[in-house]
Amino acid sequence: TSLVAMSCGESPPTSPNAVGPQANAISASRVTFSRSLDPSGRGSPINCSPLPEASDARRIGPRGGTLHVGRHTFTVPAGALDHYVVITAHASSGRYNVVHFEPEGLQFATPASLTISYANCDIPPGLLRKLLAYVDSNVNIVYYLESGEDAWAQTVTGQVNHFSDYAIAW
């Protein structure tokens, strides 16, 4: 699952295994959440009604391109890749909105953007901040990415420097 990362002055990871808080992301333990919603200071993936499974695959290269995965969108800007690669995105049907990308570990010279919808999710009352998170195969949050919300469209967008699994979280 993939998430959006923010730049902290560090270079992006150089291998698929070099991911974590050092990969320009906000560490889960450093994100400030409303204590009334989560006294531990840590969030979790947001529960959602299952959406139909969706996939998209495209050959994307130096000119960039966009994939549409059900209600979610992934955009690679021009110059982010120096060669062509087939990119696959898959959103499975389940209790969380998670998007899985392949080839796993693919790196971008310029961050790509991932927009995940939360229109089908159960947003806790009073929740002010929704984020994208890099998650493991069990949908445990590895780290949060700096994310921007469009409340009108009910989406959260973040920048992706490498491929993995990403989910909507708080």
Side-chain angles (χ1 to χ4, degrees):
T1 304
S2 297
L3 296 179
V4 173
M6 88 173 181
S7 175
C8 296
E10 299 175 42
S11 60
T14 57
S15 73
N17 296 328
V19 294
Q22 71 276 15
N24 301 332
I26 301 170
S27 169
S29 63
R30 292 184 8 216
V31 174
T32 304
F33 294 94
S34 168
R35 294 208 182 272
S36 64
L37 294 175
D38 183 24
S40 70
R42 297 180 67 93
S44 65
I46 295 173
N47 288 315
C48 304
S49 300
L51 292 170
E53 284 197 31
S55 294
D56 195 5
R58 304 229 187 257
R59 185 172 180 258
I60 297 179
R63 290 185 179 184
T66 300
L67 282 84
H68 298 281
V69 190
R71 295 182 182 179
H72 319 302
T73 305
F74 180 73
T75 303
V76 177
L81 294 170
D82 63 1
H83 62 284
Y84 283 90
V85 62
V86 175
I87 294 176
T88 303
H90 179 80
S92 59
S93 182
R95 76 183 261 202
Y96 303 116
N97 285 356
V98 177
V99 180
H100 172 78
F101 291 97
E102 291 184 6
E104 189 169 335
L106 179 66
Q107 303 284 313
F108 299 99
T110 303
S113 65
L114 172 62
T115 300
I116 295 183
S117 171
Y118 62 83
N120 63 312
C121 299
D122 301 321
I123 305 301
L127 179 64
L128 299 177
R129 188 162 185 195
K130 295 154 207 78
L131 302 165
L132 290 185
Y134 165 48
V135 296
D136 65 18
S137 60
N138 293 317
V139 195
N140 295 307
I141 295 172
V142 177
Y143 60 80
Y144 291 95
L145 300 163
E146 183 178 2
S147 307
E149 178 183 7
D150 181 340
W152 183 259
Q154 294 183 303
T155 60
V156 175
T157 300
Q159 293 181 343
V160 174
N161 288 321
H162 74 281
F163 274 170
S164 193
D165 295 331
Y166 297 90
I168 188 86
W170 64 272

